[in-house]
Amino acid sequence: MLKLQNLSKTFNPGTPIENTVLKNLSLQVKEKDFISLLGSNGAGKSTLLHLIAGTYEADGGLILLDGQDITYEKAHVRAKLLGRVHQDPRLSVSPSMTLLENLSLADAKGESFSLKKAVDIKRISYYKEQLASLGLGLESKLHTKIGLLSGGQRQAVALFMAVMKKPKLLLLDEHTAALDPRTSELIMKVTESLIQKEGITTLMVTHNMNHALAYGNRLVMMHEGEIVEDLSLEEKAALSTKDLIALFQKNAHSVEDRMVLQV
């Protein structure tokens, strides 16, 4: 479904602040995989998602999505194939617009339209029905500006918008990191529900070990631009957070690296 082959990325090459973030990284993702990407800061997790989405350009390697070479496709072309949710909800939604306007924009993704024409009254019942299933009371806030919603509600909306057009691949970049623990757990349940309902292949960057163990069918651990572990559902089901810490410490080279992950 998704094939990453020998991807490399170096920032500021040839300068005193040269930083090689990815080193010939390869990964095979099967259809309907839900993969947690775990690792310390600077491991290359978010950079990998940026390369897949096209916001960064790879220095070398290959990105194939359903057999299509998208390695050097423009980001707006890839956006038609991908869903994406950022840590900062302001990057995934338009805070100054209403919930209805945001949903209408997501509904018309990849089409030519004006916002006035994009708000389809006939779709309101569908929006309300789908939002009600999230259990956050959003179905009664269609005319509320996104910026006035809680952080958890905004991320739930961002998730819903990201899967509305049933993308080939969903990219989640620490999408619960800015939330309090209770809201973070709630959004993870919403995440799992939407992914399972739509059967969407997903890559989720996280620092939360509990989330990495509890959600998805694979756990990929990265360190210094390389994949150091790729655990199946059965393998990660047999692990505790202590086991995962030990596994991480085996691959980490510094105390700072070892202290980044969250329980």
Side-chain angles (χ1 to χ4, degrees):
M1 192 277 175
L2 176 69
K3 181 179 181 180
L4 309 177
Q5 184 174 325
N6 298 324
L7 279 185
S8 61
K9 182 63 181 178
T10 297
F11 293 99
N12 306 303
T15 73
I17 57 172
E18 178 175 306
N19 181 22
T20 298
V21 181
L22 292 181
K23 306 171 184 176
N24 296 317
L25 181 145
S26 295
L27 179 67
Q28 294 262 12
V29 180
K30 297 178 182 178
E31 188 173 1
K32 297 187 180 180
D33 266 349
F34 179 179
I35 298 177
S36 295
L37 288 171
L38 190 68
S40 61
N41 288 331
K45 306 179 303 298
S46 292
T47 297
L48 179 60
L49 263 58
H50 281 299
L51 291 181
I52 295 170
T55 47
Y56 295 162
E57 185 175 293
D59 296 332
L62 191 66
I63 304 173
L64 297 176
L65 184 60
D66 269 357
Q68 178 183 349
D69 186 350
I70 62 169
T71 311
Y72 299 107
E73 283 281 12
K74 298 296 184 183
H76 72 272
V77 175
R78 303 189 205 193
K80 299 175 183 178
L81 308 172
L82 306 174
R84 194 177 183 188
V85 181
H86 302 267
Q87 179 178 335
D88 185 346
R90 290 173 298 181
L91 298 176
S92 304
V93 297
S94 298
S96 63
M97 296 170 62
T98 68
L99 173 52
L100 176 59
E101 289 169 338
N102 272 271
L103 295 179
S104 298
L105 284 174
D107 215 1
K109 183 178 179 180
E111 301 173 10
S112 178
F113 64 93
S114 67
L115 179 58
K116 186 174 181 180
K117 293 180 180 179
V119 179
D120 188 348
I121 303 301
K122 296 177 183 178
R123 294 285 281 171
I124 290 180
S125 294
Y126 168 77
Y127 296 151
K128 286 184 175 181
E129 179 184 346
Q130 297 301 311
L131 290 172
S133 69
L134 302 181
L136 297 173
L138 289 165
E139 65 276 12
S140 64
K141 299 182 181 295
L142 283 178
H143 300 289
T144 300
K145 288 187 177 181
I146 291 284
L148 299 178
L149 300 179
S150 70
Q153 287 177 323
R154 289 197 297 270
Q155 284 300 66
V157 170
L159 276 165
F160 180 62
M161 290 170 58
V163 303
M164 278 180 70
K165 301 292 278 189
K166 296 185 179 180
K168 291 182 179 293
L169 180 67
L170 177 62
L171 305 176
L172 305 176
D173 195 355
E174 295 190 63
H175 69 302
T176 66
L179 305 175
D180 63 80
R182 180 177 175 277
T183 305
S184 175
E185 295 304 320
L186 177 63
I187 293 304
M188 281 308 307
K189 290 179 181 178
V190 171
T191 300
E192 183 177 48
S193 176
L194 287 171
I195 289 172
Q196 289 184 347
K197 180 181 177 182
E198 303 296 341
I200 296 174
T201 307
T202 303
L203 292 178
M204 178 181 74
V205 168
T206 182
H207 281 132
N208 189 303
M209 289 184 291
N210 285 326
H211 290 171
L213 288 172
Y215 296 96
N217 67 307
R218 284 172 67 188
L219 192 164
V220 170
M221 184 179 290
M222 293 181 62
H223 185 63
E224 294 187 348
E226 299 175 323
I227 292 175
V228 293
E229 301 286 347
D230 188 348
L231 306 177
S232 68
L233 178 62
E234 293 76 16
E235 288 171 327
K236 75 186 188 77
L239 297 178
S240 66
T241 53
K242 289 184 178 180
D243 295 327
L244 197 55
I245 290 172
L247 192 61
F248 183 74
Q249 289 180 331
K250 182 185 76 172
N251 293 290
H253 299 157
S254 68
V255 174
E256 289 78 7
D257 284 343
R258 296 170 186 172
M259 295 179 65
V260 171
L261 299 185
Q262 305 167 1
V263 177

